[in-house]
Amino acid sequence: MKKLSILFLLITGLFLFGGLKISAVSVSVGDVTTEEASIDDSFDLSAFRNNTYYRTLNTWLQTYRVISKDEESFAISTFEAQNPDITFLQDSTYDQNTVAVLSEDETLTYNITVEETGLYQLGIDFYLPETFYTIPTVQILVNGESQYNELDELELEVLWEVVPLEESVRYNRYGNELLPGSISISKWTTYYFDDYNATILEPYQFLLEEGSNEISITALNLDLYIGNVSIKGSTSNIDYSTYTQNQADDALDTSGQLVTIQGESYVYKNDLEVKSSYYKESAMTPYSYKNTVLNQLDGSSMSRAGTAATFTFEVAVSGYYNIAFKALKSSNMGVAAGKNIYIDGEIPFTELEGYLFESSRKWQNVTLGNSDGDYLFYLEAGTHTLTIESTAIQYTEYIDQLNSIMDNISSISLLVQTITGGNDTDSVDWDILKYIPDLVERLESYADTLESIYDAIDEMDQGTDSAGEVSTLNVAAKQLRRIAETPNKIGSKLTEFSEGSGSAYQLIGNSISYLLSQPLSIDCIYIYNDVELAKPMGSFFVKIWDG
């Protein structure tokens, strides 16, 4: 009877204070049975994740349509009377002259009227008046509400310019090259709110109702100048076939043309962590066998989805070119690295959205293309930019599924502990299936999903025999199936199920971190046509000579 009282108090305490959705649970101790119920609505730990942008958008698309609308801008001076506590001033560096000064923790409010309820993209012109060393963040409310989690602390994209060191201070006393400096770039930028971590490609969609909608922007950590505000409909990139049809017919012969961009020579980056580094291999350019020299864009520094580096280059002849990367992806083996490729600030065609670079233990020349052949890029004579951005868009759906399984594992674990009172021994014969009748089916379903996700990830990277870094998904699946064989003993197997570093829960979490990591080191980028590229690896004899 004492044990029953303790269990009753545990259940009551969790119900009242735990913030969890708990339906009544039937618990048997001796001949005494409490009220019986189902797990269906119990311990809903994934509720907060239902408000992520990914899930919110999928829900919206079942009811609302994405609006097709040309960009429309509104002068910020239009909303000056609406914001009596905000300072407005004349700024000669801004084309529209009038700007709003949004100090930290201040909120700017404006209204946008739309003719149709649906999904729109919102943007602003912004400028950071002071030198910054961190990412500016804002909060966005629509009609007084945060429409999804990401809007509570939304990061704006900013750039840093790489400043090479003067020759006199470029090397340390040992002759090793030092990293260049970086300065923040303060300039007016037209920015449509998007995912800073690049798990979604297009700018965020906002649900606006027919008529007037109030938009609020709060500066969370840095002061901002805000100019025009904008709204537009969704646009999507064309595919490669359409891209080639849209190019000029008077392209010149570019045979024999070769432009080489050094990987360490990027001029802009959107994260201070992005850096160049040294790799000791005789075919690297530049290369020194006795001192360290910066000769690559460091892949580990760009592993976070959303990091980007921009290069500038010039072509002498207008026409078609191939683009190749001398690249190395020897870490996070078996998980293909996704990169968005931009030319002059735009992704030329859809095939370059989340372009996959396969794993390899050696440097390779990877020419952008598909199974039908190499892509041809039309470039006008003159100066261009090429930006490579790490992205996890190819894994977003899998990450969401894995998060759901982790939430369900946590929910089941808490419910089991409520039923057993935290008793993790086999001495008590708990009839868990009486209270969670579909437990076996759930565990088997989770295992099936984990194995299916692993197979899909493995298929995406043909550079290795197996996706080793996420093989823990298969291990977690085996553990779930093993637990399903004796479901009534789950209370004594929580360390294998949901607790500890080797539990199924933790193994799945480790895999998610690998899917969010996109390392790719780059030695050179080649813009060329009908040219034999240098071999990516040095010869055996050169290696012996260096040794």
Side-chain angles (χ1 to χ4, degrees):
M1 193 66 181
K2 182 178 180 181
K3 184 180 294 185
L4 178 61
S5 300
I6 294 174
L7 290 177
F8 179 78
L9 289 174
L10 281 172
I11 296 171
T12 305
L14 284 171
F15 179 75
L16 292 176
F17 307 112
L20 302 173
K21 294 170 58 179
I22 305 178
S23 54
V25 180
S26 174
V27 180
S28 296
V29 180
D31 297 326
V32 183
T33 304
T34 64
E35 185 180 0
E36 184 176 353
S38 170
I39 190 179
D40 290 344
D41 296 320
S42 299
F43 295 87
D44 186 8
L45 298 182
S46 64
F48 76 97
R49 233 185 282 275
N50 291 332
N51 202 39
T52 61
Y53 175 73
Y54 180 79
R55 295 189 183 181
T56 299
L57 179 62
N58 287 335
T59 300
W60 281 346
L61 291 175
Q62 298 175 19
T63 305
Y64 307 100
R65 74 183 189 92
V66 176
I67 303 300
S68 177
K69 176 182 174 59
D70 293 335
E71 183 179 62
E72 184 179 3
S73 296
F74 304 89
I76 198 66
S77 57
T78 307
F79 311 105
E80 186 169 356
Q82 191 175 346
N83 296 272
D85 297 328
I86 300 296
T87 300
F88 288 77
L89 54 78
Q90 305 300 305
D91 186 349
S92 60
T93 65
Y94 184 57
D95 292 341
Q96 306 302 318
N97 207 4
T98 301
V99 303
V101 180
L102 194 60
S103 299
E104 185 178 345
D105 293 329
E106 287 189 336
T107 300
L108 174 75
T109 302
Y110 61 94
N111 284 72
I112 289 182
T113 300
V114 296
E115 297 179 354
E116 178 183 359
T117 298
L119 304 180
Y120 299 81
Q121 296 174 1
L122 299 178
I124 59 172
D125 292 352
F126 79 92
Y127 172 83
L128 295 172
E130 298 179 356
T131 301
F132 54 89
Y133 299 97
T134 187
I135 306 298
T137 57
V138 297
Q139 180 190 54
I140 309 294
L141 301 180
V142 177
N143 296 322
E145 296 183 352
S146 176
Q147 294 193 331
Y148 33 88
N149 294 341
E150 289 81 353
L151 297 183
D152 291 332
E153 192 172 353
L154 189 148
E155 295 167 305
L156 306 181
E157 185 171 44
V158 290
L159 294 177
W160 283 267
E161 182 178 4
V162 177
V163 182
L165 299 176
E166 295 182 4
E167 196 67 23
S168 60
V169 294
R170 189 172 178 178
Y171 302 90
N172 64 17
R173 61 178 178 169
Y174 303 107
N176 299 324
E177 188 174 4
L178 302 175
L179 289 172
S182 301
I183 59 172
S184 56
I185 300 177
S186 293
K187 66 175 184 178
W188 280 100
T189 303
T190 299
Y191 177 73
Y192 277 85
F193 303 120
D194 65 1
D195 180 14
Y196 179 75
N197 293 310
T199 57
I200 303 293
L201 181 64
E202 287 192 342
Y204 285 140
Q205 302 286 350
F206 293 81
L207 176 59
L208 301 183
E209 302 290 341
E210 178 183 354
S212 180
N213 294 265
E214 182 184 84
I215 314 298
S216 298
I217 303 175
T218 302
L220 298 180
N221 64 337
L222 295 175
D223 295 349
L224 296 173
Y225 284 5
I226 296 182
N228 286 359
V229 296
S230 305
I231 182 174
K232 67 176 182 178
S234 179
T235 58
S236 57
N237 291 319
I238 58 176
D239 60 16
Y240 178 66
S241 176
T242 305
Y243 170 81
T244 57
Q245 296 172 9
N246 292 346
Q247 301 308 314
D249 296 329
D250 56 350
L252 301 177
D253 182 13
T254 58
S255 298
Q257 295 290 320
L258 172 64
V259 178
T260 302
I261 307 170
Q262 294 298 329
E264 71 279 3
S265 299
Y266 56 91
V267 293
Y268 304 111
K269 58 184 180 180
N270 70 348
D271 193 311
L272 280 173
E273 296 298 320
V274 176
K275 66 177 182 178
S276 49
S277 62
Y278 173 65
Y279 191 93
K280 189 174 183 179
E281 210 286 325
S282 60
M284 298 293 289
T285 54
Y287 171 66
S288 172
Y289 69 90
K290 60 181 180 180
N291 297 108
T292 61
V293 293
L294 302 178
N295 58 8
Q296 67 167 343
L297 173 59
D298 188 88
S300 61
S301 72
M302 277 193 60
S303 62
R304 181 187 66 79
T307 52
T310 298
F311 304 83
T312 60
F313 65 96
E314 290 189 12
V315 295
V317 180
S318 299
Y320 288 98
Y321 294 83
N322 297 122
I323 297 179
F325 292 82
K326 179 184 172 182
L328 175 67
K329 189 195 171 300
S330 58
S331 59
N332 203 12
M333 296 293 287
V335 180
K339 305 293 176 180
N340 295 324
I341 309 296
Y342 298 79
I343 303 294
D344 297 329
E346 302 288 340
I347 298 179
F349 40 87
T350 57
E351 286 82 352
L352 297 184
E353 299 171 356
Y355 188 91
L356 295 178
F357 289 81
E358 296 179 345
S359 299
S360 173
R361 299 190 184 278
K362 297 181 179 180
W363 288 92
Q364 294 182 327
N365 290 331
V366 181
T367 301
L368 299 179
N370 58 20
S371 57
D372 296 327
D374 299 335
Y375 297 139
L376 289 171
F377 297 81
Y378 181 81
L379 299 173
E380 294 280 355
T383 302
H384 298 272
T385 63
L386 185 150
T387 300
I388 182 167
E389 177 188 40
S390 300
T391 180
I393 59 174
Q394 65 277 14
Y395 301 120
T396 301
E397 182 179 352
Y398 300 139
I399 292 171
D400 185 70
Q401 292 179 36
L402 293 176
N403 279 324
S404 292
I405 292 176
M406 290 179 66
D407 291 339
N408 286 324
I409 287 176
S410 289
S411 298
I412 293 173
S413 177
L414 285 173
L415 185 55
V416 168
Q417 290 182 67
T418 301
I419 294 172
T420 64
N423 189 331
D424 59 357
T425 66
D426 290 333
S427 58
V428 180
D429 186 18
W430 298 101
D431 188 3
I432 299 295
L433 290 181
K434 182 176 181 180
Y435 321 124
I436 316 176
D438 61 346
L439 177 60
V440 173
E441 290 78 7
R442 286 180 179 233
L443 297 180
E444 292 288 353
S445 175
Y446 301 155
D448 290 343
T449 301
L450 294 177
E451 291 170 348
S452 176
I453 291 175
Y454 171 83
D455 290 341
I457 295 169
D458 185 39
E459 183 66 24
M460 295 166 71
D461 191 340
Q462 296 298 307
T464 59
D465 294 333
S466 62
E469 297 291 8
V470 293
S471 61
T472 52
L473 293 177
N474 285 335
V475 176
K478 290 179 180 178
Q479 291 181 191
L480 294 178
R481 294 191 193 282
R482 188 160 51 244
I483 294 170
E485 292 174 358
T486 55
N488 287 327
K489 300 293 184 180
I490 189 174
S492 63
K493 297 181 179 180
L494 292 183
T495 54
E496 185 179 5
F497 182 60
S498 60
E499 301 174 358
S501 59
S503 65
Y505 180 92
Q506 187 61 54
L507 294 175
I508 297 170
N510 292 342
S511 294
I512 291 176
S513 67
Y514 286 120
L515 295 181
L516 290 171
S517 178
Q518 311 294 317
L520 182 73
S521 296
I522 298 173
D523 176 26
C524 297
I525 304 173
Y526 301 108
I527 316 295
Y528 71 102
N529 186 14
D530 195 21
V531 173
E532 184 176 354
L533 301 178
K535 292 182 179 180
M537 297 291 293
S539 70
F540 173 74
F541 297 103
V542 172
K543 293 179 180 178
I544 292 179
W545 177 258
D546 282 354

